[in-house]
Each structure stands twice: as C-alpha cells, then as structure tokens.
Amino acid sequence: MPTLNVSVVDKIATGDGQIIVCDNTDYTVKFALDAEWGEYNAKTMRVIYPDNNYEDTLFTGDECPLPRLYNVNSIRIGIYAGDLHATAVAVFECRKSVLSEEGQHVQPPEDIYNQIMDAIENGALDGVGIDHIDKTATAGLVDTYTIYYTDETTSTFEVTNGSSIASVAKTSTSGNVDTYTITMTDGSTSTFTVTNTNILGETSATKTAVGSAAAPNSTGNSVVAVGRTALYALTTGAQNVAVGAGAAGSVTT
C-alpha cells in the first residue's frame, strides 16, 4: 500500500514529492503534525482538484485513505479541525492511468482469440461442472438422488416411486444461467439451474433447485456449476439418461 507523506509545521503542509497514479484506491496519506494538532483526534482531509471541486474525508489519528482520482494532473491536500485550525495545501503531481482515457473497447487480436479457444478446448478454462448423478437412498416410496460436481461437492433431489424420469432438457437461458427441466413419465416436472462462467471474467453463483408440487421434489440444496458442463449420466435404476454435450437419449441441451 503506497503512502504519501505530508508534514505540517506552523500550518504549512509539505508533500514528499511522490507522483500519484489515477484510478488506484490503495493510497494512504500519512501526516506528520506539529504540536498544534495534538488536541484534535478527529480531523478532516480535503483533496482539491484542478477545477477547484474538492472532497472531504474525516479521519482519526495520523493516516487517511486517499479517494480514487479520476483523470487529473495534480491535486492539493490539506487538513482542518476544531474551531478552526486549517493548513495550507501540499501539491502532488498525478499521472493518468490506463483507465483514464476514454475510448472504445476493441476485440482481442486473432492470436489472443485463438489462445482463448485453445484453452477452452483443452479444458484450461473449465470451472465446476456436473460429474454424474446417482440414486443414493430409498425411504418408502421416495428415492433420493445425489448430484456429484467436479469440485467434489454434492446436492440432492427426491423422486417419488410410481413414476420414472422421461427426459432431462435445457428449457431456458437467462444471461449466463441455464434452466434444466426434469420431466417424469406421469407428467410432473422439477427444475434446476446451471450458472456458466464468463471466459474472461469471474462468475461464481449458488442456485437452488426448485421442484414442482408433484413428484419429483427438490430438497432445496444448492446447485453450483461454473463453466462448460462436461458429459455426465443420470442413473435411475435400469434407466440411464445422458445429460451434457454430445448426449444421447431424450436430453436437450
């Protein structure tokens, strides 16, 4: 964390000559104050911009975080407290950051695009996906199925006997969230969602499976899937329903 040093003697503030880079939020201003300020624990730092607009920040002790600076070439810093003590200003030179200039985002060069696609193909950008689904318990007429994810976490849902799974299909997409519907042979349905990651960003969300009033029911456990979902199988006794890319049977993705 970079520290900007400001000394105050006889109300005259003097900076240490550091150059501030705009758009950063980790700068701290540290004040070395003379005895005049000893009785004031609470003080206010004022940052004055080139257009004479200013921003005040209340602080205690001798350190104060510097607000983020936007596209400026210099700032003036001073403090005031009580009724009334105020300093002159210390001037700091600023430099624009890579974020300061306005412009239009351009598409990545072809070689970068090819690198991204290669990373997708070899799995380097894969996140958490569904590995497989198994029936793991039976209590009376209710079977419990467990969804196993590639990060070794799990969630469960329940199916009441008297019906079987007819299909598992992706039925809607909203943003980066896909909704899958489990349809039973008796016509009842339940759904779960899969959140896909942005290749160049970070998306990590927890979704809750939602069941219909009729069987099968959802236990409401969290379902997390980030990135491209790998091929996996849903096993229901003798019946196998494939889900995922290149799947066979009655699955729509």
Side-chain angles (χ1 to χ4, degrees):
M1 177 181 295
T3 300
L4 308 173
N5 297 288
V6 176
S7 63
V8 176
V9 178
D10 294 332
K11 297 183 174 63
I12 302 301
T14 304
D16 60 5
Q18 292 190 66
I19 296 176
I20 303 170
V21 178
C22 295
D23 298 300
N24 288 282
T25 58
D26 59 346
Y27 283 103
T28 297
V29 183
K30 184 175 178 64
F31 294 94
L33 306 172
D34 60 13
E36 176 183 356
W37 301 86
E39 62 180 291
Y40 301 107
N41 185 45
K43 297 170 282 291
T44 300
M45 179 180 73
R46 173 165 292 184
V47 177
I48 306 173
Y49 301 107
D51 59 3
N52 288 328
N53 287 321
Y54 60 85
E55 188 168 356
D56 286 349
T57 305
L58 181 68
F59 70 101
T60 59
D62 61 0
E63 293 186 357
C64 182
L66 182 70
R68 178 179 174 180
L69 306 180
Y70 297 90
N71 202 18
V72 295
N73 295 316
S74 66
I75 59 170
R76 290 163 286 167
I77 296 176
I79 62 171
Y80 63 91
D83 187 24
L84 181 68
H85 292 263
T87 71
V89 295
V91 179
F92 284 86
E93 182 181 354
C94 303
R95 298 284 172 82
K96 297 178 181 180
S97 80
V98 69
L99 301 177
S100 297
E101 301 297 339
E102 295 182 357
Q104 183 176 0
H105 175 69
V106 298
Q107 295 298 322
E110 185 176 354
D111 60 331
I112 300 298
Y113 175 80
N114 291 335
Q115 291 177 40
I116 294 172
M117 295 308 297
D118 288 343
I120 293 173
E121 292 302 322
N122 64 31
L125 296 181
D126 278 356
V128 179
I130 299 174
D131 183 61
H132 63 283
I133 304 176
D134 290 333
K135 182 170 72 174
T136 51
T138 298
L141 298 177
V142 179
D143 294 333
T144 299
Y145 290 84
T146 300
I147 304 173
Y148 295 87
Y149 300 97
T150 55
D151 65 349
E152 298 184 354
T153 59
T154 62
S155 64
T156 61
F157 65 92
E158 296 177 348
V159 175
T160 300
N161 290 325
S163 63
S164 60
I165 296 175
S167 66
V168 179
K170 182 170 72 175
T171 50
S172 67
T173 298
S174 177
N176 63 338
V177 179
D178 295 333
T179 298
Y180 288 82
T181 299
I182 304 172
T183 302
M184 310 301 293
T185 54
D186 64 359
S188 61
T189 62
S190 65
T191 62
F192 66 93
T193 58
V194 174
T195 300
N196 301 294
T197 191
N198 184 329
I199 294 173
L200 297 179
E202 296 179 354
T203 300
S204 180
T206 300
K207 301 296 182 181
T208 302
V210 180
S212 64
N217 298 317
S218 168
T219 59
N221 288 312
S222 294
V223 177
V224 179
V226 181
R228 297 178 299 138
T229 303
L231 178 66
Y232 59 90
L234 171 61
T235 305
T236 59
Q239 180 185 19
N240 292 317
V241 178
V243 179
S250 57
V251 177
T252 304
T253 58

